[in-house]
Amino acid sequence: MTNAEEIAHGVLAGDRRSIAKAITIIENNTVEAKKLIASIYPQTGKAHIIGLTGPSGSGKSTLIEKIVREYRRKGKTVGVIAVDPTSPFTGGAFLGDRIRMQELSTDEGVFIRSMATRHYPGGIAKATKDAVKILDAAGKDVIIVETVGAGQSEVEIIKVSQTTVVIHAPGLGDEIQAIKAGIMEIADIFAVNKADRENADKAVMDIQAILQLNNKEAAWKPPILKTMALSGEGVPKLIEKIEEHKRFLEKELGQKRILGKAETELIEAIKEKVTSSIIDELKRGGKYNELLKKIIDREIDPNTAADKVVREKFKKAE
Amino acid sequence: MFDGEKIKEIERQRERWENTTLPKWTRQSPERKSEFRNHSSMLIKRVYTPEDIEKLSYMRDLGFPGEYPFTRGVHATMYRGRLWTMRMFAGFGTAADTNKRFKYLLKEGESGLSTAFDYPTIMGYDSDHPMAKGEVGICGVAISSLQDMEVLFNGIPLDQVTTSMTINGPSPMLLAMYVAVGDKHGVPREKLGGTTQNDNLKEFFAQKLCIFPPKSSVKLTTDIIEYCARHLPKWNPVSISGYHIREAGANAVQELAFTLYDGIAYVESTLERGLKVDDFAHRLSFFFASHSDFFEEIAKFRAARRVWAKIMKERFHARNPRSMWMRMHIQTSGCTLTAQQPLNNIIRTTVQALAAVLGGTQSLHTNSFDEALCLPTVESATVALRTQQIIAYESGAANTADPLAGSYYVEALTNEMEEKAMDYIQKIDDMGGVIAAIEKGFFQKEIADSAYRYQREIDEKKRIIVGCNEYMIKEEKYPIELLRIDPRVEKEQVARLQKLRRERDNKKVKEVLEKLHYAAEKDENLMPTIIEAVKAYVTLGEITEVLRKVYGEYKELIVI
Amino acid sequence: MQGERKIRVLIAKPGLDSHDRGAKVVARALRDAGMEVIYTGLRQTPEQIAETALQEDVDVIGLSILSGAHKALFPRIMQLLEEKGLSDIMVFAGGIIPEEDITEMKKTGIKEIFGPGTPTDTIIQYVLNNVPKRT
């Protein structure tokens, strides 16, 4: 057996060390990564994938800890992927989300993995999607993905999650603006955390007001819940709503979304394949830098350059 | 302090000096660095003149010792009357081990006790709790019940000695045990003197030994302030601590500002109980670090007194001058000690201790030279105490109040400290107070940034630490003997505790724990019930466990 | 397009003490040197540390302790790592650990122990030079 096969085998058996190694392989995007995904893919599609996003300071990690505990109480196994940003200057990252979940780390029914964005935009890492598949194949019933939490542009999460929970908390200043601007539309459920604070009701009303403007015709109306991550209040209700949303997805309208997601994934995979094969070929032939120079010297514009290389590539293929 | 004409003349002369005398010198030997800064990153001038304190008003800004704004000291005679309290932090092993060290230190001329507890005690765990494994009696003395406390203070006259206890979350329990020992010795409660550190706020961003969430922690701190105001008139219920803020990496200005703000928060929380400011403010005490930049530290202590006096008068409308006193305990800075060439630490401690004395402290702990390696041995603790005694009796520093007042440099620095601290206080006010700032990670970020900057400066040799990044000795051998804690300590302590659990009246224990649970839920002042509990030999861990159930446990917010 | 191999480091604080200044400064220095640093927070049990190392598939663990309980805790951590098949992780430690304990601690498999006053660059270089070659 090759290394990838052996690890895939371990993943499918739920072996924790294999799961950890598999995620590393995917993060490092080695040649084995694709083999690995190919061999576990048939066993995926069983877990329910929840995305959690929201501004920093809204209490995402603490809330996740409580959500996991609640699922564990119900006898479900849980995987968590917590994403933190990679520094654009040094390439390093500080992964601190699991601090709030450390007590769960010795629970055999829970697997927590921290992940750096490695410069991927949109609040998750490039490897997040496939890491979710690993946890899915390893038999986790529920998988929770926590985004970076920097604010408005964190919409990549919907390519990964089935149910997206947007967390907000009162007293975060202008963060509601951020919610309005970007992540409003991606929410399946809103959680107003730190609901014991005085402005909690106002935060709920703000979200309601924006929802009424945006989402009149939707088949799923995102509920707005109040939670208190510190005490765990509101968490069982939140999970009820997540389950309700899961049932919705299983119905016809929900199926459309699942189809849409598969389509996005396929298109993205094709894009990446085509792009990397063209670029690699250009580099091998030494034309890559030449072309870049021409663009800089204004001899050719980037669009025309792209047209040219793509046409050449497919001509060859014919 | 100077009239305009004189200042102008000085300005003219300074310019002349800068154009004539100075260039000759700098041509021959340029200055060592392009700029000189202290720990708070304040730019230090080449020389200070009356120009730098032109606006200083003697009566408004300095005054006389024992008078508002107390810049020159809280007592009129300062050390001419009574020397500061020489209070050496001590504690290790079992209560019996530490009792022996206490008695030794008192015999050698120490004037007040200061108790170091081990980590299980500090975190509210009994010595037989699983989290206590390997930690019992290691970094301090293990106290799980009144039984241990009785041994700790056996043969020590509690009406004559004051005792400081470095304890925060479990302060109510330890104070209750002290009161119970006092009752057993027959000492009237109004004669019990000492300090509980009891500053829970700084735990959340500096010392990080938090047990309960912020609001409940402040509630417990306030319970003690209220209880002491009513029943223990000689007890300092809280020692508002900058020391740990500094040790966690803050600079001097941050230490000063954050400490003052914690003080503001406790005054506010106590006022909410219906007490008047003059009923309790005179018993609030403070605790600072004395770090290695000599003049910066002296300026910090002087500024601290002045700002606190103003806050008490202007913000809280105190009337009694004693409410405006900032009485402080100072400890030389542990984080400046090096494991390399440990005897050098004696010199560091001496300089820092002298700064504390020139800064007008009421109480002082001097670190032992081996503390970057282990807890102090008898020998090293004695040298540390002698350091204070030499300053007190030989140096002449104690002969006059505030000897550095009027120094252009020291006064300018004192002013700058005050301004910068007030800027921070304004900022925290704007954030909505100390708990809001903790939840935002404001203090944590400020401190982490300063700590990292300080370390980078050392790594890049912008800051020289003798024996550590310069003047190193290769293959250094420890010339000193280390204090080791025998593993028998844990075994004996656990056995004693378990015997106690078997032999005490466990029906009574159960009753009083239920009563405590009820009182905690009803948000009553818990001191009376906790005193009742410790007297029934309910353990520290059992009481903390009940409170953990009611209040929940705090999980730290990590900011790097 | 193959991704970049990143060094993953776990900075862990066993023991009850709360002196996290050193751990945090080291965590930050390693991050600034381009590594991915996972920090556990204070007061971690040996079990939590070993399990975190496993789940995070780290290359390196840095243990920081100043409470003096290293003699009880370090051997236990090393034993758990071995039981979990994680002996290929490079473990270093820092804090207040007396010279005479260092040899004993190294026997348990800890590769290096850095005392107070160690420049962060020394630690960065040590990690870069000693990070295990893993697939």
Side-chain angles (χ1 to χ4, degrees):
Chain A
M1 273 201 291
T2 64
N3 194 22
E5 277 168 22
E6 208 175 303
I7 288 174
H9 211 76
V11 168
L12 294 178
D15 172 55
R16 306 164 73 72
R17 179 97 166 108
S18 302
I19 300 172
K21 277 183 172 290
I23 297 178
T24 305
I25 288 173
I26 286 167
E27 279 203 284
N28 293 335
N29 197 20
T30 58
V31 275
E32 286 179 320
K34 291 199 171 81
K35 282 190 226 158
L36 186 59
I37 292 299
S39 54
I40 57 120
Y41 191 77
Q43 302 302 320
T44 61
K46 293 172 192 144
H48 187 61
I49 302 152
I50 304 164
L52 251 106
T53 187
S56 67
S58 56
K60 288 190 296 295
S61 305
T62 312
L63 191 60
I64 289 177
E65 199 247 7
K66 290 296 186 321
I67 294 173
V68 174
R69 278 185 195 280
E70 184 64 18
Y71 271 120
R72 293 296 294 140
R73 212 179 48 79
K74 291 168 174 272
K76 305 268 189 198
T77 56
V78 188
V80 178
I81 294 172
V83 188
D84 274 310
T86 291
S87 157
F89 306 107
T90 65
F94 182 73
L95 312 175
D97 290 330
R98 72 177 292 140
I99 292 163
R100 317 218 138 239
M101 312 169 201
Q102 264 310 71
E103 273 171 40
L104 299 168
S105 62
T106 49
D107 177 347
E108 294 214 350
V110 180
F111 192 100
I112 305 168
R113 180 63 174 244
S114 316
M115 194 173 267
T117 56
R118 300 199 182 173
H119 311 300
Y120 192 74
I124 57 171
K126 184 158 183 281
T128 304
K129 197 168 48 180
D130 285 342
V132 165
K133 292 194 182 97
I134 299 288
L135 289 170
D136 187 350
K140 295 284 173 273
D141 299 318
V142 178
I143 297 161
I144 303 173
V145 179
E146 176 183 355
T147 71
V148 169
Q152 27 190 315
S153 57
E154 303 209 338
V155 293
E156 279 291 300
I157 184 69
I158 52 164
K159 293 185 187 161
V160 178
S161 67
Q162 294 161 335
T163 302
T164 304
V165 182
V166 172
I167 303 179
H168 185 49
L172 292 177
D174 291 334
E175 305 291 355
I176 190 75
Q177 296 301 332
I179 287 196
K180 254 194 249 181
I183 56 183
M184 205 69 195
E185 294 93 79
I186 65 168
D188 297 310
I189 297 168
F190 285 95
V192 173
N193 196 27
K194 306 187 182 180
D196 53 336
R197 292 199 177 168
E198 40 185 315
N199 299 326
D201 288 325
K202 184 170 179 305
V204 171
M205 286 187 319
D206 284 349
I207 296 170
Q208 263 166 354
I210 300 162
L211 278 185
Q212 275 164 4
L213 292 176
N214 286 357
N215 258 356
K216 275 179 196 154
E217 312 284 330
W220 170 265
K221 295 231 183 269
I224 309 166
L225 304 174
K226 286 203 241 177
T227 54
M228 279 191 263
L230 277 180
S231 67
E233 266 182 75
V235 171
K237 182 92 187 150
L238 174 61
I239 287 181
E240 244 173 62
K241 285 290 166 192
I242 292 171
E243 294 296 309
E244 201 177 299
H245 185 253
K246 187 181 166 199
R247 286 193 295 276
F248 160 77
L249 290 178
E250 284 156 5
K251 285 187 293 192
E252 199 183 335
L253 274 166
Q255 285 298 310
K256 244 187 187 166
R257 271 174 69 159
I258 291 169
L259 191 70
K261 194 167 288 179
E263 197 180 357
T264 315
E265 226 178 312
L266 178 65
I267 293 173
E268 282 202 354
I270 293 174
K271 263 192 213 160
E272 194 191 323
K273 260 218 138 48
V274 173
T275 312
S276 63
S277 83
I278 293 179
I279 302 271
D280 287 352
E281 204 176 304
L282 281 176
K283 280 183 177 167
R284 271 200 304 275
K287 284 190 187 159
Y288 191 64
N289 287 331
E290 204 179 292
L291 206 55
L292 285 179
K293 191 171 178 307
K294 279 188 183 165
I295 293 171
I296 294 164
D297 294 343
R298 299 293 186 272
E299 286 176 29
I300 189 167
D301 70 286
N303 248 326
T304 314
D307 261 355
K308 227 173 106 184
V309 291
V310 171
R311 210 172 298 135
E312 257 168 49
K313 165 88 184 166
F314 286 105
K315 214 186 284 166
K316 263 185 224 160
E318 282 160 18
Chain B
M1 291 236 288
F2 304 90
D3 70 51
E5 272 315 301
K6 272 190 189 148
I7 290 284
K8 270 188 198 136
E9 172 58 16
I10 290 167
E11 193 187 331
R12 273 194 296 277
Q13 292 292 343
R14 178 180 48 77
E15 281 166 6
R16 178 198 52 74
W17 175 78
E18 280 172 349
N19 294 325
T20 57
T21 309
L22 183 65
K24 276 187 232 156
W25 287 86
T26 47
R27 260 199 306 276
Q28 269 180 9
S29 56
E31 292 185 334
R32 287 183 289 117
K33 292 191 263 187
S34 59
E35 55 176 40
F36 290 74
R37 287 180 185 273
N38 61 15
H39 289 211
S40 306
S41 293
M42 293 172 185
L43 211 51
I44 307 300
K45 290 186 179 182
R46 181 173 293 121
V47 66
Y48 287 78
T49 71
E51 294 168 273
D52 297 295
I53 50 169
E54 189 188 345
K55 297 213 174 69
L56 191 81
S57 150
Y58 183 81
M59 284 313 295
R60 184 194 62 202
D61 300 323
L62 303 179
F64 284 94
E67 285 184 3
Y68 189 83
F70 304 103
T71 315
R72 308 204 60 186
V74 293
H75 300 141
T77 56
M78 285 308 286
Y79 308 133
R80 291 164 70 99
R82 221 186 103 230
L83 288 165
W84 62 91
T85 306
M86 298 181 195
R87 195 184 287 285
M88 304 298 287
F89 190 43
F92 60 93
T94 60
D97 295 330
T98 301
N99 176 265
K100 213 169 124 197
R101 178 68 69 88
F102 277 177
K103 285 177 176 162
Y104 171 79
L105 287 166
L106 288 171
K107 183 169 80 60
E108 291 304 314
E110 168 176 81
S111 38
L113 297 173
S114 173
T115 322
F117 297 100
D118 70 359
Y119 280 111
T121 308
I122 287 173
M123 291 305 296
Y125 296 121
D126 287 335
S127 298
D128 58 354
H129 190 280
M131 286 297 282
K133 192 136 190 49
E135 309 261 10
V136 176
I138 300 283
C139 269
V141 58
I143 301 291
S144 299
S145 75
L146 178 58
Q147 174 182 264
D148 297 328
M149 204 70 159
E150 286 163 358
V151 175
L152 184 63
F153 292 103
N154 181 31
I156 292 172
L158 299 191
D159 50 348
Q160 290 162 41
V161 175
T162 59
T163 303
S164 159
M165 292 192 272
T166 299
I167 193 79
N168 292 282
S171 293
M173 288 67 105
L174 274 302
L175 177 58
M177 290 182 199
Y178 196 81
V179 167
V181 174
D183 287 356
K184 288 207 166 178
H185 287 198
V187 177
R189 290 193 182 174
E190 60 274 14
K191 283 198 171 166
L192 283 183
T195 308
T196 31
Q197 189 164 86
N198 192 27
D199 171 7
N200 282 312
L201 281 171
K202 60 96 171 56
E203 296 297 327
F204 294 99
F205 55 89
Q207 187 161 243
K208 327 263 173 68
L209 293 164
C210 336
I211 304 178
F212 313 113
K215 271 182 198 146
S216 308
S217 297
V218 172
K219 177 245 180 320
L220 291 173
T221 297
T222 315
D223 275 4
I224 295 184
I225 300 176
E226 186 186 17
Y227 183 84
C228 290
R230 300 189 201 280
H231 304 287
L232 296 174
K234 279 184 71 188
W235 196 267
N236 302 315
V238 55
S239 169
I240 305 158
S241 307
Y243 181 82
H244 316 86
I245 299 174
R246 190 64 179 280
E247 289 284 297
N251 64 34
V253 169
Q254 291 165 332
E255 177 196 1
L256 174 59
F258 300 169
T259 309
L260 289 166
Y261 210 99
D262 286 344
I264 290 172
Y266 295 131
V267 173
E268 284 171 351
S269 69
T270 311
L271 290 173
E272 280 168 21
R273 298 273 174 112
L275 270 78
K276 298 216 168 56
V277 66
D278 287 322
D279 294 342
F280 64 91
H282 61 287
R283 295 271 24 137
L284 302 177
S285 63
F286 287 81
F287 175 23
F288 291 105
S290 189
H291 209 279
S292 51
D293 190 314
F294 189 68
F295 291 104
E296 181 179 23
E297 294 304 299
I298 294 168
K300 180 184 75 184
F301 304 132
R302 299 176 82 243
R305 276 193 298 273
R306 184 157 79 206
V307 183
W308 184 247
K310 286 185 187 171
I311 288 171
M312 292 314 292
K313 188 174 184 173
E314 291 161 14
R315 185 167 177 144
F316 293 114
H317 313 292
R319 294 223 178 117
N320 181 355
R322 293 190 69 139
S323 304
M324 303 170 208
W325 285 13
M326 173 185 270
R327 292 172 305 129
M328 56 175 88
H329 170 70
I330 292 173
Q331 176 168 345
T332 57
S333 167
C335 71
T336 63
L337 302 182
T338 62
Q340 298 81 4
Q341 305 177 40
L343 291 174
N344 295 346
N345 293 327
I346 299 175
I347 324 297
R348 291 193 176 96
T349 299
T350 306
V351 174
Q352 295 164 7
L354 184 60
V357 169
L358 294 174
T361 191
Q362 276 58 62
S363 167
L364 180 62
H365 164 95
T366 32
N367 289 326
S368 301
F369 62 84
D370 49 2
E371 286 187 71
L373 303 163
C374 64
L375 292 194
T377 59
V378 170
E379 189 207 7
S380 68
T382 308
V383 173
L385 176 60
R386 296 289 180 258
T387 305
Q388 295 199 38
Q389 290 162 338
I390 290 167
I391 292 172
Y393 299 105
E394 297 184 20
S395 75
N399 291 347
T400 186
D402 192 25
L404 291 177
S407 149
Y408 310 126
Y409 178 36
V410 171
E411 295 299 358
L413 267 185
T414 305
N415 290 346
E416 196 172 346
M417 276 285 164
E418 175 174 355
E419 271 164 41
K420 296 226 153 94
M422 290 311 293
D423 287 347
Y424 267 120
I425 288 175
Q426 182 63 51
K427 210 172 191 175
I428 302 164
D429 272 340
D430 293 343
M431 260 182 267
V434 64
I435 290 183
I438 288 169
E439 285 173 352
K440 283 198 171 83
F442 170 74
F443 300 113
Q444 297 92 316
K445 178 82 182 133
E446 288 273 328
I447 293 170
D449 285 348
S450 289
Y452 193 56
R453 192 181 315 126
Y454 185 79
Q455 184 60 42
R456 294 305 304 169
E457 285 169 7
I458 293 172
D459 288 353
E460 289 160 11
K461 293 200 182 179
K462 285 183 187 156
R463 188 175 287 289
I464 300 301
I465 310 290
V466 174
C468 186
N469 62 356
E470 279 287 13
Y471 313 112
M472 286 93 88
I473 297 174
K474 268 194 185 155
E475 298 300 317
E476 196 182 320
K477 281 276 162 280
Y478 289 0
I480 58 174
E481 203 182 304
L482 301 181
L483 180 87
R484 307 303 303 239
I485 306 296
D486 195 320
R488 75 157 169 94
V489 164
E490 182 163 331
K491 274 193 205 122
E492 282 177 19
Q493 171 68 8
V494 168
R496 255 164 55 84
L497 177 60
Q498 288 174 343
K499 184 163 179 281
L500 175 83
R501 285 195 215 279
R502 284 193 304 273
E503 291 176 356
R504 65 186 178 179
D505 178 356
N506 278 307
K507 190 166 157 276
K508 171 84 183 148
V509 168
K510 197 165 164 271
E511 278 168 20
V512 72
L513 281 174
E514 276 165 14
K515 188 173 166 189
L516 178 69
H517 195 281
Y518 181 80
E521 281 188 335
K522 290 277 160 223
D523 215 21
E524 290 169 14
N525 189 319
L526 299 183
M527 277 311 293
T529 319
I530 292 177
I531 292 173
E532 190 186 336
V534 302
K535 283 188 167 180
Y537 294 93
V538 178
T539 65
L540 169 69
E542 290 161 346
I543 295 174
T544 313
E545 193 50 40
V546 168
L547 300 183
R548 277 191 169 102
K549 270 189 201 132
V550 178
Y551 299 140
E553 265 185 287
Y554 180 72
K555 289 223 180 68
E556 72 175 312
L557 170 67
I558 304 275
V559 182
I560 283 210
Chain C
M1 282 188 279
Q2 185 161 331
E4 191 188 348
R5 180 93 177 86
K6 290 270 181 193
I7 300 175
R8 285 171 71 87
V9 186
L10 175 68
I11 298 291
K13 267 208 66 60
L16 287 178
D17 79 277
S18 61
H19 299 97
D20 60 357
R21 178 174 177 171
K24 283 182 166 183
V25 166
V26 169
R28 193 154 162 173
L30 295 177
R31 179 197 65 183
D32 289 353
M35 302 179 203
E36 291 181 355
V37 182
I38 296 127
Y39 176 53
T40 59
L42 297 168
R43 289 183 272 278
Q44 296 291 301
T45 63
E47 286 75 13
Q48 285 172 328
I49 292 169
E51 191 54 39
T52 301
L54 183 145
Q55 293 176 15
E56 297 291 353
D57 194 31
V58 294
D59 308 292
V60 176
I61 300 176
L63 301 170
S64 168
I65 192 165
L66 290 92
S67 78
H70 51 270
K71 281 180 114 171
L73 298 171
F74 282 5
R76 175 81 184 130
I77 294 169
M78 298 311 289
Q79 181 200 346
L80 286 167
L81 289 177
E82 196 183 322
E83 282 172 21
K84 288 177 191 286
L86 302 173
S87 300
D88 59 337
I89 297 177
M90 192 269 279
V91 183
F92 70 91
I96 297 194
I97 296 162
E99 181 105 347
E100 55 206 79
D101 291 356
I102 289 182
T103 337
E104 197 186 322
M105 292 299 115
K106 282 191 176 174
K107 272 192 207 140
T108 68
I110 293 174
K111 257 199 110 162
E112 191 52 273
I113 294 178
F114 299 104
T118 311
T120 52
D121 290 340
T122 308
I123 299 173
I124 294 170
Q125 276 314 316
Y126 187 85
V127 170
L128 290 173
N129 294 337
N130 290 281
V131 61
K133 302 268 171 291
R134 305 167 88 196
T135 45

